């Protein structure tokens, strides 16, 4: 196996880790607004992912950085061709991060409701657009002889890619519902379990059609095996959720996320970005790669630092492993209605 093949595999692993981890916190961000009956329950939902969401995004940064360094031609064509969707994803992720940081700064229902909406859209938009982007990468896009994307935005909004976006939205929402059921207690836990059953059925339908289309149109035998594992994982997760085995259900939905990502990358290899104009113009692991010296240095860096990153993230999940409930959420320091006269009085004293 050449270094170019190893780095294609490593980038696939990085995207798999990102979709596994960020997938469930996208799902919690989407569902929290609907499953929580009051502000205390919304704070419980947010606190299930509060300590880990930014660590999960490290996988995205590393995947993007590794693609830039290992396959610069892939990175250049991808980011120039998918400029607008990737910019929208970036804005959504920034808004989402601001929602985590600013929601609790002011004890105002209006303020909190607006940041809840920001968290919802900041989770939903990337969940859809990542599916659209990866479906287009597998399907192939207009790339000319100069390895440049020559299509427009409408070329990315084809039926296969839109189905991919709906499939990833359903998958991440299902994954998030199972995580929320695993991490909470009380009524919120019961509502998350009920949501997992309904979103699980939608995921099996949408995901089954999308994976079947992928394997029949673009896939190989290994990709077909991975798609079968994904379908089995989804069905088993739904059954485990129905029997109240929340830990098993979450592990099985995670297996499905891994298998779906494997299906996409197996369908892609040895291309990294096929051309829909002429297969001879496609970017492959060979013609899109960096120099052997660069790949060798990157391999040593990955071997040395990856264990530290994995150990730190595992420790974070271990520290915040227990379930939480409304009883764990501290009450606001003082309701706004009680604070207002004090502020008014202080201003009045200042004016004198």
């Amino acid at each position: 196996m050449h270094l170019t093949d190893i780095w294609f595999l490593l980038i696939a692993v990085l995207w798999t880790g990102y979709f596994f981890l960020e997938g469930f916190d996208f799902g919690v961000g989407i569902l929290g607004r609907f499953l929580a009956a009051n502000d205390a329950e919304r704070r419980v939902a947010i606190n299930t992912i509060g300590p880990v969401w930014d660590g999960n995004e490290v996988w995205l940064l590393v995947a993007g950085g590794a693609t830039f360094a290992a396959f610069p031609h892939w990175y250049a064509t991808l980011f120039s061709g998918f400029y607008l969707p990737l910019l929208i994803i970036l804005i959504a992720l920034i808004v989402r991060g601001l929602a985590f940081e600013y929601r609790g700064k002011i004890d105002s229902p209006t303020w909190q409701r607006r940041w809840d909406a920001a968290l919802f859209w900041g989770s939903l938009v990337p969940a859809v657009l990542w599916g659209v982007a990866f479906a287009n990468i597998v399907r192939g896009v207009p790339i000319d002889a100069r390895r440049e994307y020559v299509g427009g935005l409408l070329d990315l909004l084809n039926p296969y890619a839109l189905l991919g976006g709906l499939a990833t939205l359903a998958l991440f929402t299902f994954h998030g519902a199972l995580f929320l059921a695993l991490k909470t207690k009380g009524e919120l836990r019961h509502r998350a379990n009920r949501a997992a059953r309904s979103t699980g059925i939608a995921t099996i339908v949408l995901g089954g059609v999308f994976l079947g289309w992928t394997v029949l149109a673009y896939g190989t035998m290994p990709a077909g095996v991975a798609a079968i594992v994904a379908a089995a994982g989804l069905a088993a997760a739904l059954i485990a959720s129905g029997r109240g085995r929340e830990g098993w259900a979450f592990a099985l939905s995670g297996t499905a996320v891994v298998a779906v990502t494997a299906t996409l990358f197996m369908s892609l290899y040895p291309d990294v970005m096929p051309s829909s104009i002429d297969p001879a113009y496609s970017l492959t692991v060979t013609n899109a790669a960096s120099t052997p010296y660069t790949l060798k240095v990157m391999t040593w860096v990955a071997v040395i630092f990856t264990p530290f990153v994995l150990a730190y993230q595992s420790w974070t999940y271990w520290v915040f492993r227990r379930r939480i409930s409304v009883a764990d959420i501290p009450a606001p320091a003082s309701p706004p209605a009680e604070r207002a006269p004090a502020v008014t009085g202080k201003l009045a004293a200042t004016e004198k």
Side-chain angles (χ1 to χ4, degrees):
M1 181 179 284
H2 300 287
L3 278 177
T4 52
D5 301 317
I6 292 173
W7 272 98
F8 178 82
L9 178 62
L10 288 175
I11 288 172
V13 169
L14 289 169
W15 279 107
T16 302
Y18 174 65
F19 288 143
F20 182 101
L21 297 172
E22 190 89 304
F24 72 72
D25 70 47
F26 281 154
V28 172
I30 293 167
L31 289 171
R33 192 180 182 197
F34 304 105
L35 297 184
N38 49 51
D39 182 63
E41 288 190 348
R42 277 189 285 278
R43 293 171 67 189
V44 169
I46 292 172
N47 274 282
T48 61
I49 55 175
V52 298
W53 71 271
D54 46 357
N56 295 342
E57 290 193 350
V58 169
W59 289 75
L60 172 62
L61 299 176
V62 177
T67 305
F68 171 73
F71 299 102
H73 297 300
W74 182 12
Y75 183 92
T77 305
L78 176 66
F79 276 77
S80 60
F82 292 16
Y83 181 79
L84 183 57
L86 294 177
L87 178 63
I88 293 172
I89 289 175
L90 177 62
I91 292 172
L93 293 178
I94 291 173
V95 169
R96 186 167 179 270
L98 291 174
F100 284 114
E101 298 296 333
Y102 284 90
R103 184 188 186 279
K105 298 297 183 185
I106 297 177
D107 293 332
S108 161
T110 302
W111 172 270
Q112 291 160 357
R113 193 164 50 248
R114 288 173 179 169
W115 284 117
D116 287 340
L119 179 58
F120 169 76
W121 289 108
S123 302
L124 184 141
V125 170
V128 174
L129 290 185
W130 281 130
V132 173
F134 271 84
N136 274 303
I137 292 173
V138 172
R139 176 178 178 268
V141 291
I143 298 174
D144 65 9
R146 296 172 299 169
R147 300 174 184 169
E148 293 180 359
Y149 180 81
V150 292
L153 178 62
L154 293 180
D155 291 311
L156 303 179
L157 303 178
N158 53 80
Y160 173 71
L162 294 175
L163 176 62
L166 291 177
T168 51
L169 172 62
L171 177 62
F172 294 156
T173 306
F174 177 49
H175 199 35
L178 294 173
F179 183 78
L180 200 56
L182 180 65
K183 290 288 293 179
T184 57
K185 294 186 280 190
E187 283 302 313
L188 184 58
R189 177 186 177 187
H190 296 308
R191 287 195 289 272
N193 271 316
R194 286 198 294 272
R197 287 164 207 148
S198 56
T199 56
I201 294 171
T203 305
I204 289 174
V205 174
L206 290 169
V209 175
F210 176 66
L211 289 177
W213 191 340
T214 301
V215 172
L216 291 175
Y218 315 106
T220 57
M221 182 65 75
V225 173
I228 292 172
V229 172
L234 289 174
L238 189 59
I239 294 170
S241 174
R243 295 181 177 178
R245 305 296 298 269
E246 292 154 349
W248 278 105
F250 179 70
L252 288 164
S253 72
T255 302
V257 173
V258 172
V260 168
T261 313
T263 303
L264 297 177
F265 275 91
M266 285 179 179
S267 300
L268 192 60
Y269 184 83
D271 293 332
V272 294
M273 207 163 177
S275 170
S276 60
I277 298 175
D278 187 334
Y281 302 156
S282 298
L283 298 176
T284 68
V285 293
T286 302
N287 66 25
S290 286
T291 63
Y293 177 76
T294 301
L295 295 177
K296 188 175 180 180
V297 171
M298 288 177 59
T299 304
W300 279 110
V301 171
V303 168
I304 293 171
F305 290 103
T306 300
F308 291 101
V309 175
L310 294 177
Y312 171 76
Q313 197 153 28
S314 301
W315 176 77
T316 304
Y317 276 91
W318 176 255
V319 169
F320 296 100
R321 65 188 181 280
R322 73 181 183 87
R323 293 178 186 269
I324 58 176
S325 69
V326 173
D328 299 309
I329 302 299
S334 60
E338 295 177 5
R339 277 212 316 264
V343 173
T344 304
K346 186 176 180 180
L347 289 174
T350 304
E351 288 171 1
K352 287 179 181 178

